[in-house]
């Protein structure tokens, strides 16, 4: 699994935007892995629909942020892309992003290892009549054919 992200913020009162892509590698897709979904520590600001935050408003006035949920891609599609509006911060430091994606990767690796231990199977089988049943039926069949051969 490859996780790539970027944070972009315009000058001024604009909130930073986190964009990310999570891509499964081919061997991971072939294992039919379930999605890993978790509550991240990536903060979602109040009014996250708004691209800006004015001084004294929302997170800049001390309002608490909730957290975004993050997840790995479905094994059929193999890719997930996301975009989060982050809270405005003076220092533009967001260590929660690295921490959350690392935790997602660790949780995914646990699921990956469990799936990998499930070995492939290719089994076939075949059954025929038992010897006992063959003997039982054989005497009757031989008698019937013998009678048919002599015209009876």
């Amino acid at each position: 699994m490859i996780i790539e992200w970027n944070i972009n913020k315009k000058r001024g009162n604009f909130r930073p935007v986190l964009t990310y892509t999570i891509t499964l590698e081919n061997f991971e897709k072939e294992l039919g892995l379930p999605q890993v979904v978790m509550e991240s520590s990536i903060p979602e600001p109040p009014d996250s629909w708004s691209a800006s935050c004015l001084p004294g408003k929302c997170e800049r006035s001390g309002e608490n942020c909730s957290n975004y949920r993050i997840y790995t891609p479905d094994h059929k599609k193999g890719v997930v892309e996301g975009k989060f509006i982050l809270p405005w911060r003076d220092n533009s430091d967001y260590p929660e992003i690295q921490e959350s994606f690392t935790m997602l990767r660790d949780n995914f690796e646990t699921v990956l290892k469990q799936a990998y231990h499930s070995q492939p199977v290719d089994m076939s089988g075949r059954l025929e009549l038992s010897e006992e049943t063959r003997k039982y039926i054989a005497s009757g069949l031989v008698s019937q054919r013998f009678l048919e051969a002599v015209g009876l």
Side-chain angles (χ1 to χ4, degrees):
M1 179 175 68
I2 300 166
I3 303 173
E4 298 176 299
W5 70 89
N6 181 55
I7 301 173
N8 193 328
K9 180 191 174 303
K10 297 177 188 177
R11 180 179 302 277
N13 293 314
F14 289 98
R15 289 176 167 149
V17 177
L18 166 67
T19 55
Y20 67 92
T21 303
I22 304 174
T23 307
L24 296 181
E25 297 185 58
N26 286 335
F27 77 92
E28 294 166 332
K29 290 192 282 187
E30 291 172 2
L31 291 173
L33 300 170
Q35 286 186 291
V36 175
V37 180
M38 61 171 263
E39 182 84 13
S40 75
S41 58
I42 300 170
E44 179 180 2
D47 298 338
S48 59
W49 50 265
S50 177
S52 63
C53 182
L54 300 176
K57 303 291 182 186
C58 297
E59 67 269 20
R60 292 175 82 176
S61 70
E63 279 189 53
N64 291 329
C65 294
S66 56
N67 294 328
Y68 288 106
R69 294 186 84 171
I70 55 175
Y71 52 89
T72 59
D74 176 276
H75 73 275
K76 293 177 184 174
K77 187 173 179 187
V79 176
V80 67
E81 295 177 341
K83 178 180 172 181
F84 296 149
I85 303 295
L86 300 175
W88 189 95
R89 289 185 181 163
D90 280 330
N91 61 4
S92 295
D93 188 27
Y94 298 90
E96 306 93 340
I97 295 167
Q98 174 87 31
E99 292 166 6
S100 293
F101 284 137
T102 298
M103 183 178 284
L104 182 66
R105 182 196 62 193
D106 293 346
N107 292 343
F108 176 78
E109 286 178 353
T110 299
V111 171
L112 176 67
K113 289 174 185 174
Q114 290 171 347
Y116 185 76
H117 285 295
S118 179
Q119 298 295 321
V121 175
D122 184 7
M123 277 190 224
S124 301
R126 178 181 165 153
L127 290 174
E128 294 183 11
L129 290 176
S130 67
E131 196 62 33
E132 178 185 334
T133 301
R134 286 183 186 278
K135 287 178 184 175
Y136 178 80
I137 293 175
S139 62
L141 287 175
V142 170
S143 298
Q144 181 181 355
R145 288 186 182 150
F146 178 72
L147 291 174
E148 289 172 0
V150 293
L152 296 174

